[in-house]
Amino acid sequence: MKNVGRAILALLAAALVGGVAEDGGPSRRVVTRDGWRVIEADFHVHTRLSDGFLSPFEVVLHARRNGLDALAITEHNVTHPAWMARWFSRMIGGPTILVGEEVTTDRFHLIAIGLRERVSPYGDLGAIIDDVHRKGGVAIAAHPVARFWPAFDAVLDKLDGAELMHPLALGPRDRARRGWRWEEMRDFHLRATKRGYPLTPVGSSDYHFFQGLGVTRTLVLARDDSAEAILDAVRAGRTVVRDRDGNLHGNARAIAILTERPIAPAEQVESAGDRGYHPKGVVDHASRIAGWLGMLGVVAFPLARRRRGPPAEGSA
Amino acid sequence: MNGLDVSDDVRLLVHPFAHYGAMRDAPALDARRSAATRALRVMITLGLFVSLTTTGRVVPAHLFGAMLSWSFAPLVQSVAVLAVARIFALDSPRARVLDLYFAGHGPWLAFMWLGAGVVVLAPSPSAVFYFLLSNGVLPALLLAALAHGAVLNVAMFRRGLGLSRGRTAAATAVFYVFFAGQIVTYYLLNDTLQPQLGIR
Ligand SMILES: [Zn+2]
Ligand SMILES: [Zn+2]
């Protein structure tokens, strides 16, 4: 048994060494266009403090890994995880964390970012959006699929933005259930624009677990990478979102800036999604398999020598 | 087994009732240490699962970060199982109850190992997960893990702790009420559930 224990330890040690060596890559570069800083942002992120897998601290590290400049932590009806992430991020030098909340009810989900304090989820949507604005924030319709349209249609004049890209777009086509289709989100945005409410388009990953933090994201043209500059840009509509068919959404000027001189591959760290899982080489691949086999060892074999006695008194 | 001993978790996964009986007949000499080791095994597995599924690699920040941020799970479980031990006036010491309880996490450990395997081995993990999800395989596996976990709890109360059939059923029900109750309380305190239930 001693040998099995040693083998498990060796596998896990190899996995850890490989993991440390291969994790992370080129850090995110400063990208500018036409005098604007191009910020890659994910404005819809959950953590372990509601229904995600990662702690607020790990989410910050994962955002760096996935090449994001800014992140809004948006937990269901609370803001304390966002404050924790912001504290940690400031300590390690970025990315920019916006304090946010996903106001979550049975009638709508609303992303509020840039908050000075928590917003109550009770009351009608119009009043909640007013409260978001009073507390310094910006209100974005979260995944506005058909089931949420009645609530959002009534407040088009108050909303600042709407999610137009979301991982819902990346699933198998035509198989999503009605009421939860990405096309409904896109149509909501197009319809609002047609009715004279050009909501700022936002792409977010609604991150809960696994690799895909920032797999769908927003390009923001901001003065700099401060939270205030990013919020100003969202208020002014200076965002661009690429949908799953490659179409760009956003105001004409912002799109023109980014198509005149498109973002070059070298200016991006695009590791979200399956790409982030791809091994960088044989050593990387081997260390990952070692980790998985070590995990089997932890599950399947005793970690300590069993020392057992006779039956306890009276339990025969 | 000639030197190659498998964990109690694996034995319980295959023979829940018989092996809980065997564990009762030969209890750990140092139950406190044994229970702590078992809880640690669950946490290491969770840490490895979170790290591998987040990055495809074993990274210290996620391994130890997840062990810390998920530590509420064994705490909540311990509170629930110790509450049952108290209510049903089990004569076994608390450490022994925990030792038996933390040996019965096999279904979840297996589930996590398989999930991490998809990430490590599949060329396109998201395609595999979408496929398993849209064909109902993933939900079925989750349900199976839940059901098997419940069978293990029943086996622990019945054979591991020697309760009668009726008291086993009651103890299992009380365990789940206490377990779910703590989680629901957290979400109620955070105003997460009420607005989603239509409370305005
Ligand atoms: Zn939502
Ligand atoms: Zn969400």
Coordinates of all heavy atoms in Angstrom, one line a residue, chain A residues 43-117:
Chain A
F43 N -19.3 41.3 -18.3 CA -20.1 42.0 -17.3 C -21.1 41.2 -16.5 O -22.0 41.7 -15.9 CB -20.8 43.2 -17.9 CG -19.9 44.3 -18.4 CD1 -20.2 44.9 -19.7 CD2 -18.9 44.8 -17.7 CE1 -19.4 45.9 -20.2 CE2 -18.1 45.8 -18.1 CZ -18.3 46.4 -19.4
H44 N -20.9 39.8 -16.6 CA -21.9 39.0 -15.9 C -21.2 37.7 -15.4 O -21.0 36.7 -16.2 CB -23.0 38.6 -17.0 CG -24.2 37.9 -16.4 ND1 -25.4 37.8 -17.1 CD2 -24.3 37.2 -15.3 CE1 -26.2 37.1 -16.4 NE2 -25.6 36.7 -15.3
V45 N -20.9 37.7 -14.2 CA -20.0 36.6 -13.6 C -20.5 36.2 -12.2 O -20.8 37.1 -11.4 CB -18.5 37.1 -13.5 CG1 -17.7 36.1 -12.9 CG2 -18.0 37.5 -14.9
H46 N -20.6 35.0 -12.0 CA -21.0 34.4 -10.7 C -19.8 33.8 -9.9 O -18.9 33.4 -10.6 CB -22.1 33.4 -10.8 CG -23.4 34.1 -11.4 ND1 -24.2 34.8 -10.7 CD2 -23.8 34.1 -12.7 CE1 -25.2 35.3 -11.4 NE2 -25.0 34.9 -12.7
T47 N -20.0 33.6 -8.6 CA -18.9 33.0 -7.8 C -19.5 31.9 -6.9 O -20.7 31.7 -6.9 CB -18.1 34.0 -7.0 OG1 -18.9 34.3 -5.8 CG2 -17.8 35.2 -7.7
R48 N -18.7 31.3 -6.1 CA -19.1 30.2 -5.2 C -20.0 30.8 -4.1 O -20.7 30.0 -3.4 CB -17.8 29.6 -4.6 CG -18.0 28.5 -3.5 CD -18.4 27.2 -4.2 NE -19.7 27.3 -4.9 CZ -20.9 27.1 -4.3 NH1 -21.0 26.8 -3.0 NH2 -22.0 27.2 -4.9
L49 N -20.0 32.1 -4.0 CA -20.9 32.7 -2.9 C -22.4 32.7 -3.3 O -23.2 33.1 -2.5 CB -20.4 34.0 -2.5 CG -19.0 33.9 -1.7 CD1 -18.4 35.2 -1.5 CD2 -19.2 33.2 -0.4
S50 N -22.7 32.4 -4.6 CA -24.1 32.1 -4.9 C -24.1 30.7 -5.6 O -24.0 29.7 -4.9 CB -24.8 33.2 -5.6 OG -24.4 33.3 -7.0
D51 N -24.1 30.7 -6.9 CA -24.2 29.4 -7.6 C -23.0 29.0 -8.5 O -23.2 28.2 -9.4 CB -25.5 29.2 -8.2 CG -25.8 30.4 -9.2 OD1 -25.0 31.3 -9.3 OD2 -26.9 30.3 -9.9
G52 N -21.9 29.7 -8.4 CA -20.8 29.4 -9.2 C -19.8 28.4 -8.5 O -20.0 28.0 -7.4
F53 N -18.7 28.0 -9.2 CA -17.8 27.1 -8.7 C -16.6 27.8 -8.0 O -16.0 27.3 -7.0 CB -17.2 26.2 -9.8 CG -18.0 25.0 -10.1 CD1 -19.3 24.9 -9.7 CD2 -17.5 23.9 -10.8 CE1 -20.1 23.8 -9.9 CE2 -18.2 22.8 -11.0 CZ -19.5 22.7 -10.6
L54 N -16.2 29.0 -8.5 CA -14.9 29.6 -8.0 C -15.2 30.7 -7.0 O -16.2 31.4 -7.0 CB -14.2 30.2 -9.2 CG -13.8 29.3 -10.4 CD1 -13.0 30.1 -11.4 CD2 -13.1 28.1 -10.0
S55 N -14.2 30.8 -6.1 CA -14.3 31.9 -5.1 C -14.1 33.2 -5.9 O -13.6 33.2 -7.0 CB -13.2 31.7 -4.1 OG -11.9 31.8 -4.7
P56 N -14.5 34.3 -5.3 CA -14.3 35.6 -5.9 C -12.8 35.8 -6.3 O -12.5 36.5 -7.3 CB -14.7 36.7 -4.9 CG -15.7 35.9 -4.0 CD -15.2 34.5 -4.0
F57 N -11.9 35.3 -5.5 CA -10.4 35.5 -5.8 C -10.0 34.7 -7.0 O -9.3 35.2 -7.8 CB -9.6 35.1 -4.5 CG -10.2 35.6 -3.2 CD1 -10.5 34.8 -2.2 CD2 -10.4 37.0 -3.1 CE1 -11.0 35.3 -1.0 CE2 -10.9 37.5 -1.9 CZ -11.3 36.7 -0.9
E58 N -10.5 33.4 -7.0 CA -10.2 32.6 -8.2 C -10.7 33.2 -9.5 O -10.1 33.0 -10.6 CB -10.7 31.2 -8.0 CG -10.0 30.4 -6.9 CD -10.8 29.1 -6.6 OE1 -10.7 28.1 -7.4 OE2 -11.7 29.1 -5.7
V59 N -11.9 33.8 -9.4 CA -12.5 34.3 -10.6 C -11.6 35.4 -11.2 O -11.3 35.5 -12.4 CB -13.9 34.9 -10.3 CG1 -14.4 35.8 -11.4 CG2 -14.9 33.8 -10.2
V60 N -11.0 36.2 -10.3 CA -10.1 37.3 -10.7 C -8.9 36.7 -11.4 O -8.5 37.2 -12.5 CB -9.6 38.1 -9.5 CG1 -8.5 39.1 -9.9 CG2 -10.8 38.9 -8.9
L61 N -8.3 35.6 -10.9 CA -7.1 35.0 -11.5 C -7.5 34.4 -12.9 O -6.8 34.4 -13.8 CB -6.6 33.9 -10.6 CG -6.1 34.4 -9.2 CD1 -5.7 33.2 -8.3 CD2 -4.9 35.3 -9.4
H62 N -8.7 33.8 -12.9 CA -9.2 33.2 -14.2 C -9.4 34.2 -15.2 O -9.2 34.0 -16.4 CB -10.5 32.4 -13.9 CG -10.8 31.4 -15.0 ND1 -9.8 30.6 -15.6 CD2 -12.0 31.0 -15.5 CE1 -10.4 29.8 -16.5 NE2 -11.7 30.0 -16.5
A63 N -9.8 35.4 -14.8 CA -10.1 36.5 -15.8 C -8.7 36.9 -16.4 O -8.6 37.2 -17.6 CB -10.7 37.7 -15.1
R64 N -7.7 37.0 -15.6 CA -6.3 37.3 -16.2 C -5.9 36.2 -17.1 O -5.4 36.5 -18.2 CB -5.3 37.3 -15.0 CG -5.4 38.6 -14.2 CD -4.7 38.4 -12.9 NE -3.3 38.6 -13.0 CZ -2.6 39.6 -12.3 NH1 -3.2 40.3 -11.5 NH2 -1.3 39.7 -12.5
R65 N -6.2 35.0 -16.8 CA -5.8 33.8 -17.6 C -6.5 34.0 -19.0 O -5.9 33.7 -20.0 CB -6.2 32.5 -16.9 CG -5.9 31.3 -17.7 CD -6.4 30.1 -16.9 NE -5.6 29.8 -15.7 CZ -6.1 29.8 -14.5 NH1 -7.4 29.9 -14.3 NH2 -5.3 29.6 -13.4
N66 N -7.8 34.4 -18.9 CA -8.6 34.5 -20.2 C -8.5 35.8 -20.9 O -9.3 36.1 -21.7 CB -10.0 34.1 -19.8 CG -10.2 32.6 -19.6 OD1 -9.2 31.8 -19.7 ND2 -11.4 32.1 -19.4
G67 N -7.5 36.6 -20.5 CA -7.3 37.9 -21.2 C -8.4 38.9 -21.1 O -8.7 39.6 -22.1
L68 N -9.0 39.1 -19.9 CA -10.0 40.1 -19.7 C -9.4 41.3 -19.0 O -8.6 41.1 -18.1 CB -11.2 39.5 -18.9 CG -12.0 38.5 -19.7 CD1 -12.9 37.7 -18.7 CD2 -12.9 39.2 -20.7
D69 N -9.7 42.5 -19.5 CA -9.3 43.7 -18.8 C -10.2 44.1 -17.7 O -9.8 44.8 -16.8 CB -9.2 44.9 -19.8 CG -8.3 44.6 -21.0 OD1 -7.1 44.4 -20.8 OD2 -8.9 44.6 -22.1
A70 N -11.5 43.7 -17.8 CA -12.5 44.2 -16.8 C -13.5 43.1 -16.6 O -13.8 42.3 -17.5 CB -13.1 45.5 -17.3
L71 N -14.1 43.1 -15.4 CA -15.0 42.1 -15.0 C -16.0 42.7 -14.1 O -15.6 43.5 -13.2 CB -14.1 41.1 -14.2 CG -14.5 39.6 -14.1 CD1 -14.6 39.0 -15.4 CD2 -13.5 38.9 -13.2
A72 N -17.3 42.3 -14.3 CA -18.3 42.7 -13.3 C -18.7 41.5 -12.6 O -19.1 40.5 -13.2 CB -19.5 43.4 -13.9
I73 N -18.5 41.4 -11.2 CA -19.0 40.3 -10.5 C -20.5 40.6 -10.2 O -20.8 41.6 -9.5 CB -18.2 40.1 -9.2 CG1 -16.7 40.0 -9.4 CG2 -18.7 38.9 -8.4 CD1 -16.3 38.8 -10.1
T74 N -21.4 39.7 -10.6 CA -22.8 40.0 -10.5 C -23.6 38.8 -9.9 O -24.1 38.0 -10.6 CB -23.4 40.3 -12.0 OG1 -23.0 39.1 -12.8 CG2 -22.8 41.5 -12.6
E75 N -23.5 38.8 -8.6 CA -24.2 37.7 -7.9 C -25.7 37.9 -7.8 O -26.1 39.1 -7.9 CB -23.6 37.5 -6.5 CG -22.2 36.9 -6.6 CD -22.1 35.5 -7.0 OE1 -22.9 35.0 -7.9 OE2 -21.3 34.8 -6.3
H76 N -26.4 36.9 -7.6 CA -27.9 37.0 -7.4 C -28.2 37.7 -6.2 O -28.1 37.2 -5.1 CB -28.5 35.6 -7.4 CG -28.2 34.8 -8.6 ND1 -28.7 35.0 -9.9 CD2 -27.4 33.7 -8.8 CE1 -28.3 34.2 -10.8 NE2 -27.5 33.4 -10.2
N77 N -28.6 39.0 -6.4 CA -29.2 39.8 -5.3 C -28.3 40.2 -4.2 O -28.7 40.6 -3.1 CB -30.5 39.2 -4.8 CG -31.5 38.9 -5.9 OD1 -31.5 39.6 -6.9 ND2 -32.5 38.0 -5.6
V78 N -27.0 40.0 -4.4 CA -26.0 40.5 -3.4 C -24.8 41.1 -4.0 O -24.5 40.8 -5.2 CB -25.5 39.3 -2.4 CG1 -26.7 38.9 -1.5 CG2 -25.0 38.2 -3.2
T79 N -24.1 41.9 -3.3 CA -22.9 42.5 -3.9 C -21.6 42.1 -3.1 O -20.5 42.4 -3.6 CB -23.0 44.1 -3.9 OG1 -23.3 44.5 -2.6 CG2 -24.0 44.6 -4.9
H80 N -21.7 41.5 -1.9 CA -20.4 41.3 -1.2 C -19.4 40.5 -1.9 O -18.2 40.8 -1.8 CB -20.7 40.8 0.2 CG -21.4 39.4 0.3 ND1 -22.7 39.3 0.2 CD2 -20.8 38.2 0.4 CE1 -23.0 38.0 0.3 NE2 -21.9 37.3 0.4
P81 N -19.7 39.5 -2.7 CA -18.7 38.8 -3.5 C -17.9 39.7 -4.4 O -16.7 39.6 -4.6 CB -19.4 37.7 -4.3 CG -20.7 37.5 -3.5 CD -21.1 38.9 -3.0
A82 N -18.6 40.7 -5.0 CA -18.0 41.7 -5.9 C -17.0 42.5 -5.1 O -15.9 42.8 -5.6 CB -19.0 42.6 -6.6
W83 N -17.3 43.0 -3.9 CA -16.4 43.8 -3.1 C -15.1 42.9 -2.8 O -14.0 43.5 -2.8 CB -17.0 44.3 -1.8 CG -18.1 45.3 -2.1 CD1 -19.5 45.1 -2.1 CD2 -17.9 46.7 -2.5 NE1 -20.1 46.2 -2.4 CE2 -19.2 47.2 -2.7 CE3 -16.8 47.5 -2.7 CZ2 -19.4 48.6 -3.0 CZ3 -17.0 48.8 -3.1 CH2 -18.3 49.3 -3.2
M84 N -15.3 41.7 -2.5 CA -14.2 40.8 -2.2 C -13.3 40.7 -3.4 O -12.0 40.8 -3.3 CB -14.7 39.4 -1.8 CG -15.4 39.4 -0.4 SD -16.3 37.8 -0.2 CE -15.0 36.7 0.0
A85 N -13.9 40.5 -4.6 CA -13.1 40.3 -5.8 C -12.3 41.6 -6.1 O -11.2 41.6 -6.5 CB -14.0 40.0 -7.0
R86 N -13.0 42.8 -5.8 CA -12.4 44.0 -6.1 C -11.1 44.3 -5.2 O -10.1 44.7 -5.6 CB -13.4 45.2 -6.0 CG -12.8 46.4 -6.7 CD -13.9 47.5 -6.8 NE -14.0 48.3 -5.6 CZ -14.4 49.5 -5.5 NH1 -14.9 50.1 -6.6 NH2 -14.5 50.1 -4.4
W87 N -11.3 44.0 -3.9 CA -10.2 44.1 -3.0 C -9.0 43.3 -3.5 O -7.9 43.8 -3.5 CB -10.7 43.7 -1.6 CG -9.6 43.5 -0.6 CD1 -9.0 44.5 0.1 CD2 -9.0 42.3 -0.3 NE1 -8.0 43.9 0.9 CE2 -8.0 42.6 0.7 CE3 -9.2 40.9 -0.6 CZ2 -7.2 41.6 1.3 CZ3 -8.4 39.9 0.0 CH2 -7.4 40.3 0.9
F88 N -9.3 42.0 -3.8 CA -8.2 41.1 -4.2 C -7.5 41.6 -5.5 O -6.3 41.6 -5.6 CB -8.8 39.7 -4.4 CG -7.7 38.7 -4.8 CD1 -6.7 38.4 -4.0 CD2 -7.8 38.1 -6.1 CE1 -5.7 37.4 -4.3 CE2 -6.8 37.2 -6.5 CZ -5.8 36.8 -5.6
S89 N -8.4 42.0 -6.5 CA -7.9 42.4 -7.8 C -7.0 43.7 -7.6 O -5.9 43.8 -8.3 CB -9.0 42.7 -8.7 OG -8.5 43.1 -9.9
R90 N -7.4 44.6 -6.8 CA -6.5 45.8 -6.6 C -5.2 45.4 -6.0 O -4.2 46.0 -6.3 CB -7.3 46.8 -5.7 CG -8.3 47.5 -6.4 CD -9.0 48.6 -5.5 NE -9.9 49.3 -6.3 CZ -10.8 50.2 -5.8 NH1 -10.8 50.4 -4.5 NH2 -11.6 50.9 -6.6
M91 N -5.2 44.4 -5.1 CA -4.0 44.0 -4.5 C -3.0 43.4 -5.5 O -1.8 43.5 -5.3 CB -4.3 43.0 -3.4 CG -3.4 42.9 -2.2 SD -4.1 42.0 -0.8 CE -4.3 40.4 -1.5
I92 N -3.5 42.7 -6.5 CA -2.6 42.0 -7.4 C -2.5 42.7 -8.7 O -1.9 42.2 -9.6 CB -3.1 40.5 -7.6 CG1 -4.4 40.5 -8.3 CG2 -3.1 39.7 -6.4 CD1 -4.8 39.1 -8.9
G93 N -3.1 43.9 -8.8 CA -2.9 44.7 -10.0 C -3.8 44.4 -11.2 O -3.3 44.4 -12.3
G94 N -5.0 44.2 -11.0 CA -6.0 44.0 -12.1 C -6.4 42.6 -12.2 O -5.9 41.7 -11.6
P95 N -7.4 42.4 -13.1 CA -8.1 43.3 -13.9 C -9.1 44.3 -13.1 O -9.2 44.1 -11.9 CB -9.0 42.4 -14.8 CG -9.2 41.2 -14.0 CD -7.9 41.0 -13.2
T96 N -9.7 45.2 -13.8 CA -10.6 46.1 -13.2 C -11.9 45.4 -12.8 O -12.4 44.7 -13.6 CB -11.0 47.3 -14.2 OG1 -9.8 47.9 -14.6 CG2 -11.9 48.3 -13.5
I97 N -12.3 45.5 -11.5 CA -13.5 44.8 -11.1 C -14.6 45.9 -10.9 O -14.4 46.9 -10.1 CB -13.2 44.1 -9.8 CG1 -12.1 43.0 -10.0 CG2 -14.5 43.4 -9.3 CD1 -12.5 41.9 -10.9
L98 N -15.7 45.7 -11.5 CA -16.9 46.5 -11.3 C -17.8 45.8 -10.3 O -18.0 44.6 -10.4 CB -17.6 46.8 -12.6 CG -16.8 47.4 -13.7 CD1 -17.4 47.2 -15.1 CD2 -16.7 48.9 -13.4
V99 N -18.2 46.5 -9.3 CA -19.1 45.9 -8.3 C -20.5 45.8 -9.0 O -21.1 46.8 -9.4 CB -19.2 46.8 -7.0 CG1 -20.2 46.2 -6.1 CG2 -17.8 46.7 -6.4
G100 N -21.0 44.6 -9.0 CA -22.3 44.4 -9.7 C -23.2 43.5 -8.9 O -22.9 43.0 -7.9
E101 N -24.4 43.3 -9.5 CA -25.4 42.4 -8.9 C -26.3 42.0 -10.1 O -26.6 42.8 -11.0 CB -26.2 43.3 -7.9 CG -27.3 42.6 -7.2 CD -28.1 43.5 -6.2 OE1 -27.4 44.5 -5.7 OE2 -29.2 43.2 -5.9
E102 N -26.7 40.7 -10.0 CA -27.8 40.3 -11.0 C -29.1 40.3 -10.2 O -29.3 39.4 -9.3 CB -27.5 38.9 -11.6 CG -28.6 38.5 -12.5 CD -28.4 37.2 -13.3 OE1 -27.4 36.5 -13.0 OE2 -29.1 36.9 -14.3
V103 N -29.9 41.3 -10.4 CA -31.1 41.4 -9.7 C -32.0 40.3 -10.3 O -32.4 40.4 -11.5 CB -31.8 42.8 -9.8 CG1 -33.1 42.9 -9.1 CG2 -30.8 43.9 -9.4
T104 N -32.3 39.3 -9.5 CA -32.9 38.1 -10.0 C -34.3 37.8 -9.5 O -34.4 37.7 -8.3 CB -32.0 36.9 -9.7 OG1 -30.6 37.2 -10.0 CG2 -32.4 35.6 -10.4
T105 N -35.3 37.9 -10.3 CA -36.7 37.6 -9.9 C -37.3 36.6 -10.9 O -36.7 36.2 -11.8 CB -37.5 38.9 -9.9 OG1 -37.8 39.3 -11.3 CG2 -36.7 40.1 -9.3
D106 N -38.6 36.3 -10.6 CA -39.3 35.4 -11.5 C -39.7 36.1 -12.8 O -40.0 35.4 -13.8 CB -40.5 34.8 -10.8 CG -41.4 35.9 -10.3 OD1 -41.0 37.0 -10.1 OD2 -42.6 35.6 -10.1
R107 N -39.6 37.4 -12.9 CA -40.1 38.2 -14.1 C -39.0 38.7 -15.0 O -39.1 38.9 -16.1 CB -41.0 39.4 -13.7 CG -42.3 39.0 -13.0 CD -42.7 40.2 -12.1 NE -41.8 40.4 -11.0 CZ -41.6 41.6 -10.5 NH1 -42.2 42.7 -10.9 NH2 -40.8 41.7 -9.5
F108 N -37.8 38.8 -14.4 CA -36.7 39.4 -15.1 C -35.4 39.1 -14.4 O -35.4 38.9 -13.1 CB -36.8 40.9 -15.4 CG -36.9 41.6 -14.1 CD1 -35.8 42.0 -13.4 CD2 -38.2 42.0 -13.5 CE1 -35.9 42.7 -12.1 CE2 -38.3 42.6 -12.3 CZ -37.1 43.0 -11.6
H109 N -34.3 39.1 -15.1 CA -33.0 39.2 -14.5 C -32.3 40.5 -15.0 O -32.4 40.7 -16.2 CB -32.1 38.0 -14.8 CG -32.6 36.7 -14.3 ND1 -31.8 35.5 -14.3 CD2 -33.8 36.3 -13.7 CE1 -32.5 34.5 -13.8 NE2 -33.7 35.0 -13.4
L110 N -31.8 41.3 -14.1 CA -31.2 42.6 -14.5 C -29.8 42.7 -14.0 O -29.5 42.5 -12.8 CB -32.1 43.7 -13.9 CG -31.5 45.1 -14.2 CD1 -32.0 45.5 -15.6 CD2 -32.1 46.2 -13.2
I111 N -28.9 43.0 -14.9 CA -27.5 43.2 -14.5 C -27.3 44.6 -14.2 O -27.6 45.5 -15.0 CB -26.5 42.8 -15.7 CG1 -26.6 41.3 -15.9 CG2 -25.1 43.2 -15.4 CD1 -26.1 40.4 -14.8
A112 N -26.8 44.8 -12.9 CA -26.5 46.2 -12.5 C -25.0 46.2 -12.2 O -24.5 45.4 -11.5 CB -27.3 46.5 -11.2
I113 N -24.3 47.1 -12.9 CA -22.8 47.2 -12.7 C -22.4 48.6 -12.3 O -23.0 49.6 -12.7 CB -22.0 46.7 -13.9 CG1 -22.3 47.6 -15.2 CG2 -22.4 45.3 -14.3 CD1 -21.4 47.3 -16.3
G114 N -21.3 48.7 -11.5 CA -20.8 50.0 -11.1 C -21.6 50.5 -9.9 O -21.7 51.7 -9.7
L115 N -22.0 49.6 -9.1 CA -22.9 50.0 -7.9 C -22.0 50.5 -6.7 O -20.9 49.9 -6.5 CB -23.7 48.8 -7.4 CG -24.8 48.3 -8.4 CD1 -25.4 47.0 -7.8 CD2 -25.8 49.4 -8.6
R116 N -22.5 51.5 -6.0 CA -21.9 51.9 -4.8 C -22.4 51.0 -3.6 O -21.8 50.9 -2.6 CB -22.1 53.4 -4.5 CG -21.3 54.3 -5.4 CD -21.4 55.7 -4.9 NE -22.7 56.2 -5.1 CZ -23.1 56.9 -6.1 NH1 -22.3 57.2 -7.1 NH2 -24.4 57.4 -6.2
E117 N -23.7 50.6 -3.8 CA -24.2 49.7 -2.7 C -25.3 48.8 -3.4 O -25.7 49.0 -4.5 CB -24.8 50.5 -1.6 CG -25.8 51.6 -2.0 CD -26.3 52.4 -0.9 OE1 -27.0 51.8 0.0 OE2 -26.0 53.6 -0.9

